[in-house]
Amino acid sequence: MIQSFHAWALEQNDRRIVYASGAEATMFAETCAFGVTRHRLPAWKVVLPIGGHAELLRPGQPMVTAAGLIVPPQFAHTCAATSPYVALFVDSWLLPPTPEPIPLDAAEVRRLVAALGAADEGGPGTAADLASGYLELRTLTQAPPPLDPRVAHAVRLSSHPEPDITSIAAEVGLSAPRLRALVRQTVGIPLTRLRQWARLRAAIAELPGTTAAMAAATAGFADQAHLARTARGLVGRTPASLHATALNRS
């Protein structure tokens, strides 16, 4: 869970990307169709096309097509939106577990987009109401099961890139190996992957105002290549595609 709010928007010609992150979710909104390569995200992903549909493909399975999709954490897949879209990313413990993607109909997509505060077909802006979007999402998925208080505190701390796992474990009164085992058992995702996701969000939040190399260093990555590999593995796109220089080339 991210404790502070970060937002930015990049615009060039007819393409606009909006990023916002807060306690309930992280959001991308883009005013063009876009697809991502195969990835496995340690968080929920909610794809909300505006006027088009979402497409999901996994190895050996037929394509899933729907007005919108809720994709569970750690689900390996490729994904595309055929129109401008909003993508919400919600921490794994904030929704109840399910093994398969959940299709959304057009009315559900409209309700979710409206809850975020979208004023027009361009989607929500930097003042997106992530709390309302998350609450509307909860009406579709119900409440998540309660977490062990030690795990709940540890994953909240892990959503920041700074504390290391040993420090987090000490704060909740556990050894680092015991904390890793408890998080994996309770949340279903290794703590190291949750930390990678936290660092990636921190890097993306810095992108408009700095270079990818500096964003990588600020977020705790070894170098820019490490950041790019992590981004491809977790979200299926590189940080370069979210940078102002990428918009200038489009």
Side-chain angles (χ1 to χ4, degrees):
M1 186 179 296
I2 307 169
Q3 299 302 313
S4 56
F5 185 84
H6 301 279
W8 50 256
L10 296 174
E11 190 163 0
Q12 179 71 23
N13 300 324
D14 60 350
R15 183 185 177 197
R16 184 170 187 253
I17 300 176
V18 177
Y19 168 86
S21 68
E24 300 82 7
T26 295
M27 182 198 79
F28 287 111
E30 197 160 2
T31 56
C32 63
F34 197 81
V36 292
T37 59
R38 189 171 186 268
H39 62 285
R40 196 159 62 99
L41 176 70
W44 292 89
K45 180 172 69 176
V46 185
V47 185
L48 304 170
I50 301 173
H53 62 270
E55 300 174 345
L56 180 147
L57 188 63
R58 50 182 160 163
Q61 299 291 327
M63 179 180 290
V64 177
T65 302
L69 286 168
I70 302 175
V71 185
Q74 301 287 74
F75 191 86
H77 68 289
T78 63
C79 191
T82 64
S83 67
Y85 70 93
V86 179
L88 281 179
F89 303 95
V90 178
D91 284 324
S92 59
W93 56 91
L94 294 180
L95 294 174
T98 182
E100 295 290 327
I102 302 170
L104 300 173
D105 62 31
E108 291 168 334
V109 170
R110 286 194 297 270
R111 289 207 313 268
L112 284 164
V113 173
L116 291 166
D120 54 38
E121 64 181 13
T126 53
D129 191 341
L130 300 179
S132 291
Y134 171 65
L135 289 175
E136 183 63 33
L137 186 60
R138 283 273 297 267
T139 67
L140 301 175
T141 62
Q142 300 184 354
L147 284 180
D148 179 305
R150 297 168 298 176
V151 171
H153 189 61
V155 295
R156 281 196 295 270
L157 292 176
S158 297
S159 295
H160 296 272
E162 296 86 4
D164 58 40
I165 293 176
T166 301
S167 299
I168 294 171
E171 184 161 338
V172 297
L174 296 169
S175 67
R178 176 57 183 151
L179 176 61
R180 289 190 183 96
L182 194 58
V183 169
R184 181 188 282 271
Q185 175 186 349
T186 306
V187 177
I189 298 172
L191 190 55
T192 52
R193 283 187 66 79
L194 296 178
R195 302 283 291 147
Q196 287 178 333
W197 175 226
R199 289 194 172 106
L200 179 58
R201 287 180 302 194
I204 291 172
E206 298 293 324
L207 277 179
T210 187
T211 64
M214 185 61 70
T218 300
F221 289 97
D223 52 30
Q224 184 177 342
H226 184 202
L227 169 60
R229 288 194 303 273
T230 301
R232 283 194 296 268
L234 297 190
V235 296
R237 67 190 295 176
T238 64
S241 70
L242 299 169
H243 201 272
T245 53
L247 295 188
N248 292 333
R249 290 195 298 269
S250 60

